[in-house]
Amino acid sequence: MVHELFQIPLKVWLYNNLKLMLILDTQTIDNLNKTVNKYLSYFENYLQIFMPASSASINSSIFILTGFPGLDQYSPWFSIPLSSIYAMVFLGNSLVLHVIRTEPSLHQPMFYFLAMLAFTDLCMGLSTVHTVLGILWGISQEISLDACITQAYFVHGLSSTESGVLLVMAFDRFTAICNPLRYTSILTNRRIINFMVAIVMRSSVSILPVIIRLKFFHYCRPHVLSHSFCLHQDLLRLACSDIRFNSLYALILVIFVLLIDAVLILISYVFILYTVLAVASQEERLRSLQTCVSHISAVLVFYIPIIGLTMVHRFGKHLSPLVHVLMGNIYILFPPLMNPIIYSVKTQQIQSRVKKWFSLKI
């Protein structure tokens, strides 16, 4: 039953308000009582779904993040390459954003989406740098539950955002190659903004139910996380509460976000390949496909680490903790590191603008 604090005031409120409209006889009171109890039962079920039974006492646990298990004495040495990688992530993505913002010729749909991708990668680095480097620099391995949940929200939300951006970039390539005459009329500024807002809303709202529930779980197992940052599935592993809703919802979310995005990207490239092969000139075919190389590379760079980390979490419980840590670091660092390099090397407009910018500085 719902706690008496919910039952009594609600019944009194209903009775007092209904007495203003009609005189209650015994039968009406009994019927009203049954109705109130029925809705209280619905309310109780709602609470059980979104607030586990352990929510009576709000959890404020401290968790221990994992650096490189068994190699703690080498942490200062590991901090050098990882600090360099984070510096490259910040500089590379900031440079891409700066070039797109300052170069009028890059104010096109393709580069607007690329700017969103770079901003997402930049945020991914910012959301994890303090814990990853904090461990290696010996600052702290501890993280509060609130901070951990917040970090998990941003990590998973940004992953969903990146998947959505890669999908609209595939749509951009599909439109440019399969329907070039209508490209500017299809990808208008208004439609681009709508795409971006939809991606952000999907990413920020869809994961809230499972993230909020993490606050109310009871964590009775040793508070040692598998990575140097927080993940939803890592916290579930330590919970002793009923996690069935979180597990099922997370699976559905992966299917309806990451998997469907990947399938739609694949379908778009099937149509692109069909259109390109219909072109008579081999030179035109190569030129069309070259415009897709950067995007295909970015898709592979994003999805391969996610698949690897998912496989490790699902089937790699017998593996060394070091494997979990390495896969986690690859998952959060490889796409933000590689995307600026891929687009700077493969996109002629960005490459020439960067060269021009550096030549002026020198």
Side-chain angles (χ1 to χ4, degrees), residues 322-333:
L322 185 60
V323 176
H324 287 258
V325 172
L326 288 174
M327 285 304 302
N329 287 331
I330 290 171
Y331 162 66
I332 60 168
L333 286 175

Side-chain angles (χ1 to χ4, degrees), residues 206-256:
S206 62
I207 63 172
L208 277 177
V210 289
I211 293 296
I212 291 173
R213 278 173 58 87
L214 291 174
K215 176 66 177 174
F216 303 98
F217 283 150
H218 175 56
Y219 300 95
C220 63
R221 297 184 177 91
H223 291 187
V224 180
L225 300 170
S226 303
H227 304 287
S228 49
F229 55 93
C230 295
L231 291 173
H232 169 259
Q233 58 266 39
D234 214 7
L235 285 170
L236 285 190
R237 183 178 57 85
L238 307 180
C240 298
S241 305
D242 185 359
I243 63 171
R244 287 175 296 178
F245 174 83
N246 278 55
S247 298
L248 181 61
Y249 189 95
L251 178 62
I252 293 171
L253 209 59
V254 168
I255 293 171
F256 280 91

Side-chain angles (χ1 to χ4, degrees), residues 196-206:
M196 291 180 174
V197 171
I199 290 168
V200 172
M201 290 299 295
R202 182 189 75 166
S203 305
S204 58
V205 174
S206 62

Side-chain angles (χ1 to χ4, degrees), residues 85-97:
I85 289 172
Y86 269 107
M88 291 173 66
V89 166
F90 296 142
L91 290 174
N93 287 287
S94 297
L95 182 61
V96 169
L97 287 169

Side-chain angles (χ1 to χ4, degrees), residues 31 203 356:
N31 291 337
S203 305
K356 180 182 177 182

